[in-house]
Amino acid sequence: MKGRNLWRKAAIPALAFVVAGSMAACGGKKEESNAASPGATTGQGAAGGEKVTIIITNGKGEIASQWEQAAKDFSAANPNITVEAYSQAVGETLGVLDKLTASGKTVTLAMVEPSAVQNKYKDFGIDLTSEKWNEETKDGFKNEQGQIVGFPFSIEGFGLVYNTKVVEKAVGGTFDPFTINTRDKLKELLDKIKASGVKTPVAYQTEAWSVSNHYSTQFLNQAQNPADIVSQLKAGTFDLVNNAAWNGYYDTLDLLVSKDYNKYADRPLDKVYDDSHLSVGKGEAAMLFNGNWAYDSLKAVAGENFGFIPVPVDNNPENPLNNKIAAGPTNVLIINQKATPAQQDAAKKFLSWIVYDQAGQDFLVNKSQVISAFKNNPNKVTNPLGKAIADAVVQGKTMPFSTNYVTAEDWMNIIGPDVQKYIVKKETKAELANAIKAYYASKK
């Protein structure tokens, strides 16, 4: 998979950073020197506040240096809190949270994938529902009980990525992607693009991860909490065959991969990831289905601009699913139930620092180039797809990142091939529904 790896479990810390006030020490031996009392409270500070040490772990190895600096800046502003900041190495196989826990250390604040909050770490986090920062975001990640337990660290999204220049030429002026809020309007746009000289408006790549744990999970957003539908799927009580939204997304997929519009209609399951992005980047096609991580491939063509069109599920312009793009946290921060109350309070303070402090806001967006989930953050990432998602967040035009509510590896490896069979008309919707039903039955 190119771009974002949804199932990779990265791991061991390349470096451990310890920050106390303005002093910082790092190196391989630091882990051993703190093994005896990691995160232990140590008495009263000069200002009367309790001194406390917390361990925080970063699951995005790409921002290890930024994470270290954030720990330094936060501790400088909060001298009674000592922060041990660990980052996992990109591409490793053992998670830094698991490694530290196995060594006997108590991680106070950990960055994990949202799906792990529902599964592997479902008993790890504390309830954050009453935290003030929830006023600035709708993306706090909920557990199956409906409690917000995950702080939304980084936002990503997916939809129909389009080349602005190609689409604006076809419509004859400025284009608002949110005007495409029915399937018929999408078809009308595709016809206009063809009439403008683009023979195949869509460059649809059909890798299993894309057509399954991204595209095929969008129907979960018909519920306010997608986890509710997942619970019904696990219980075997959700009727996929007769569900309008589930059927509707495949009707739209039929349109996108059809011979009328898809560049790869004659070879729909070929490996065309690179070619599809180059085609849209060069304007030989107008759109593809992917996420903001696709910009790394699209930007190979200098000077082009891109945005997102929502994937319409039906012809009702009032349907919320037609008026929003899927976007949400792909990394969340959770606070350990086993940490002391003082440690938990210190971790909560760190989360508030990210949201409300100018230095924290700068660390998140400008330094880490992460799309903020918080509407009060004035900073914007620089790439156009990231900006499109950030703008949609501010405008309230996003719905949950549905992949977060399934086990991505399973949907890619087990359900993905069935979706691909559906695309090439070797499987019916009913057969695809039975495949999904069988998968969840096997997990009971």
Side-chain angles (χ1 to χ4, degrees):
M1 170 182 170
K2 301 295 178 68
R4 182 170 182 270
N5 190 330
L6 287 167
W7 62 90
R8 184 189 69 213
K9 301 296 183 183
I12 61 174
L15 290 173
F17 300 104
V18 182
V19 184
S22 61
M23 296 180 62
C26 64
K29 296 182 179 179
K30 181 54 66 177
E31 186 174 324
E32 295 178 5
S33 67
N34 286 283
S37 57
T41 55
T42 57
Q44 298 296 312
E50 185 178 23
K51 286 187 175 180
V52 62
T53 298
I54 61 174
I55 294 175
I56 63 175
T57 60
N58 160 38
K60 286 176 64 67
E62 301 87 349
I63 61 166
S65 62
Q66 295 95 321
W67 188 253
E68 173 196 3
Q69 188 61 50
K72 293 178 181 178
D73 293 342
F74 172 76
S75 288
N78 298 273
N80 291 315
I81 301 174
T82 299
V83 180
E84 298 183 24
Y86 290 78
S87 285
Q88 64 187 35
V90 175
E92 295 291 343
T93 56
L94 178 64
V96 59
L97 170 59
D98 295 339
K99 182 177 185 293
L100 290 171
T101 301
S103 73
K105 295 193 175 190
T106 299
V107 174
T108 304
L109 183 70
M111 185 190 298
V112 299
E113 292 181 348
S115 61
V117 176
Q118 304 280 25
N119 297 287
K120 184 176 183 179
Y121 301 116
K122 65 180 180 180
D123 298 320
F124 185 97
I126 66 172
D127 187 0
L128 301 173
T129 306
S130 63
E131 293 301 295
K132 180 177 173 57
W133 47 257
N134 284 296
E135 299 173 1
E136 302 295 340
T137 182
K138 65 176 184 60
D139 289 308
F141 194 77
K142 296 179 180 178
N143 60 16
E144 289 187 347
Q145 291 72 47
Q147 299 172 325
I148 294 174
V149 294
F151 174 94
F153 180 79
S154 61
I155 298 294
E156 292 187 288
F158 56 76
L160 296 173
V161 177
Y162 70 94
N163 183 311
T164 303
K165 185 186 297 184
V166 174
V167 173
E168 289 188 344
K169 177 184 176 183
V171 301
T174 303
F175 173 68
D176 178 0
F178 291 99
T179 60
I180 309 302
N181 56 6
T182 69
R183 189 182 302 116
D184 283 349
K185 287 181 180 179
L186 176 60
K187 184 178 185 302
E188 180 182 356
L189 175 62
L190 294 174
D191 287 336
K192 286 182 179 179
I193 295 169
K194 286 186 71 172
S196 72
V198 179
K199 183 179 179 181
T200 51
V202 182
Y204 206 100
Q205 84 234 17
T206 53
E207 288 90 347
W209 61 266
S210 179
V211 300
S212 59
N213 45 301
H214 283 181
Y215 190 92
S216 293
T217 58
Q218 293 177 95
F219 78 99
L220 299 175
N221 281 325
Q222 63 189 286
Q224 185 173 2
N225 182 2
D228 292 342
I229 293 181
V230 173
S231 295
Q232 294 174 48
L233 287 168
K234 290 178 179 178
T237 59
F238 190 84
D239 185 2
L240 288 168
V241 171
N242 294 303
N243 181 260
W246 186 81
N247 280 278
Y249 277 115
Y250 289 110
D251 290 339
T252 302
L253 183 60
D254 291 342
L255 177 71
L256 293 168
V257 301
S258 70
K259 291 185 177 181
D260 289 335
Y261 305 111
N262 183 21
K263 178 178 180 180
Y264 312 110
D266 293 332
R267 48 189 180 102
L269 299 186
D270 277 9
K271 295 180 179 179
V272 296
Y273 189 97
D274 291 333
D275 188 74
S276 64
H277 288 71
L278 189 60
S279 295
V280 173
K282 294 169 71 173
E284 295 171 355
M287 67 183 72
L288 53 79
F289 176 79
N290 213 325
N292 57 286
W293 53 89
Y295 183 63
D296 286 340
S297 299
L298 293 166
K299 71 180 181 182
V301 183
E304 296 301 297
N305 197 14
F306 308 93
F308 282 104
I309 297 171
V311 179
V313 66
D314 58 25
N315 282 318
N316 175 11
E318 302 302 318
N319 187 338
L321 295 176
N322 292 338
N323 293 277
K324 298 179 179 181
I325 58 174
T330 51
N331 290 282
V332 298
L333 292 167
I334 52 178
I335 296 177
N336 196 344
Q337 292 182 8
K338 295 181 179 180
T340 68
Q343 291 170 338
Q344 292 177 0
D345 287 343
K348 289 179 180 180
K349 197 165 189 177
F350 181 77
L351 298 182
S352 292
W353 177 82
I354 293 175
V355 177
Y356 295 106
D357 192 280
Q358 185 175 347
Q361 294 174 340
D362 180 67
F363 148 69
L364 187 68
V365 179
N366 296 329
K367 298 294 194 303
S368 303
Q369 279 295 294
V370 163
I371 301 167
S372 174
F374 302 95
K375 60 187 179 182
N376 69 315
N377 193 317
N379 305 300
K380 293 287 188 294
V381 294
T382 55
N383 84 67
L385 290 181
K387 184 178 184 302
I389 292 173
D391 290 344
V393 169
V394 172
Q395 296 167 27
K397 293 183 177 180
T398 64
M399 55 187 177
F401 193 92
S402 49
T403 306
N404 288 341
Y405 296 86
V406 302
T407 303
E409 299 97 319
D410 285 356
W411 272 68
M412 179 188 73
N413 295 320
I414 300 173
I415 296 173
D418 284 282
V419 181
Q420 291 173 326
K421 289 177 184 177
Y422 173 81
I423 289 172
V424 296
K425 303 188 183 306
K426 291 185 177 180
E427 194 167 293
T428 65
K429 281 183 187 174
E431 290 170 331
L432 177 56
N434 285 334
I436 297 173
K437 181 178 179 181
Y439 161 73
Y440 279 103
S442 74
K443 295 299 177 180
K444 289 183 179 180

